[in-house]
Amino acid sequence: MVSAPSSDGLIYVPPGVTRSAKIVISGSFAVGKTTFVGSVSQIPPLRMEERITQASEGVDDLARTPRKTTTTVGMDFGRLHLSDALVLYLFGTPGQGRFRPMWAGLTEGALGALVLVDTRNLEASFEILALHEEQGTPYAVAINLFDDAPRYDLDEIRQALDLDPHTPLTTCDARDGTSSVLALITLCEYLTELHAPVLEPRP
């Protein structure tokens, strides 16, 4: 479902929408959160980015992303109508550990989170996963399939990340809207089992 622009160029939520959910898109630095939100959002995404400067040297690990020139310092925001009745408000978090207080604030009130993971740097995800565990935020994990990233069996990744058996684990390409939406559907199916009355449309 796509929102229709109004006469003044703004895009509004259609009147048929009866349920909404705040979803956090989290993950380590340079894992693809901004790209993910941009690929699925049905409105122009809000991006709070700044250019990476020399001040980041020795602080942010740019070894795997030498061409990265900007980084999120606030949040990314997008909106996706997953069905005629359900709209998702997507909040992408900054990836660096120094923004941890902001992670907690952005996660507050979220129905769930999708944690993006890069197989080239699995250990960078541990802090994010621990934060969601501490806050009690239900989450699913999506492996972002970078072109040069090694491929592993999902069972191996589940073991490496020490995920509970019930935690959904899937793959996506953050650049591709279809596969990214499918990752969100995986999360929402899991959340529906936990919070059915919240996500089901009103009679």
Side-chain angles (χ1 to χ4, degrees), residues 24-46:
V24 169
I25 309 300
S26 61
S28 59
F29 176 68
V31 78
K33 301 177 296 294
T34 297
T35 300
F36 184 97
V37 173
S39 71
V40 300
S41 179
Q42 292 172 322
I43 60 172
L46 169 66

Side-chain angles (χ1 to χ4, degrees), residues 148-171:
D148 59 344
R151 303 295 197 259
Y152 299 105
D153 184 84
L154 289 184
D155 288 337
E156 293 182 78
I157 295 175
R158 180 179 296 277
Q159 184 175 1
L161 294 176
D162 194 25
L163 298 178
D164 289 338
H166 68 273
T167 300
L169 177 60
T170 187
T171 62

